[in-house]
Amino acid sequence: MPQVVLVNPQIPPNTGNIARTCAATGTELHLVGPLGFEISDRYLKRAGLDYWPYVKLHYHKSLEAFKNVHQERGGRLLGFSVGGSSNYIQFQFQADDWLLFGSETKGLPSNVLSACDATLYIPMAESGVRSLNLSVSVAVGLFEVRRQLGYLI
């Protein structure tokens, strides 16, 4: 089952919405600190509604702590970025992929992108639009993975 990883998320409602998407799909959610909020933030909890008991949530205080977990479990690291090299639709996903997304303001740090097995982008028709909202990007990417792997049936 693919997993979603948020590296240094900053906006509580985005993370709450992503948690809700992960709960609905049975997808593990990894938060890599430092975070721009406290896990107990009321806006985070509010965006996730009453679905928090269904979220398979993992918190890693640092990138190094996350890397240790990833090394133990295996799978490819796939970084989503506006500067990615592959269109996410044309990419062949695998069940043990880790989908990495960066903060709302800075995206994934360059050291994280360079450690990824592949970097993916979501194409946009309007060149003046820099990026999609983080929670939208996660949903778009996660549902394409689920579609390819046959989890939507």
Side-chain angles (χ1 to χ4, degrees):
M1 182 68 93
Q3 299 182 59
V4 169
V5 181
L6 304 181
V7 179
N8 312 127
Q10 299 297 304
I11 301 174
N14 282 337
T15 301
N17 289 333
I18 292 164
R20 188 170 167 183
T21 299
C22 288
T25 59
T27 303
E28 289 184 49
L29 174 60
H30 297 261
L31 302 180
V32 179
L35 308 178
F37 51 85
E38 296 291 325
I39 294 288
S40 61
D41 188 288
R42 67 182 176 107
Y43 295 107
L44 175 72
K45 297 293 184 186
R46 183 173 156 191
L49 296 175
D50 55 349
Y51 300 121
W52 284 103
Y54 305 105
V55 179
K56 299 170 187 172
L57 181 63
H58 306 275
Y59 173 64
H60 311 279
K61 289 187 177 187
S62 68
L63 195 53
E64 289 305 315
F66 167 72
K67 286 179 182 179
N68 291 334
V69 170
H70 171 257
Q71 286 177 343
E72 289 174 15
R73 295 170 91 179
R76 299 182 301 177
L77 294 176
L78 307 177
F80 279 74
S81 171
V82 294
S85 59
S86 299
N87 184 326
Y88 85 108
I89 288 291
Q90 298 166 341
F91 192 80
Q92 295 300 304
F93 293 99
Q94 298 172 3
D96 62 352
D97 286 339
W98 299 70
L99 313 178
L100 278 68
F101 297 84
S103 76
E104 295 87 344
T105 56
K106 297 180 182 175
L108 285 170
S110 59
N111 63 323
V112 174
L113 286 169
S114 65
C116 288
D117 296 289
T119 58
L120 310 174
Y121 67 91
I122 299 169
M124 290 182 249
E126 177 54 59
S127 62
V129 176
R130 186 174 62 252
S131 64
L132 296 173
N133 175 276
L134 180 60
S135 61
V136 171
S137 296
V138 170
V140 165
L142 179 59
F143 274 86
E144 175 57 18
V145 174
R146 293 176 54 77
R147 184 194 69 78
Q148 284 188 23
L149 298 176
Y151 296 152
L152 297 182
I153 298 171

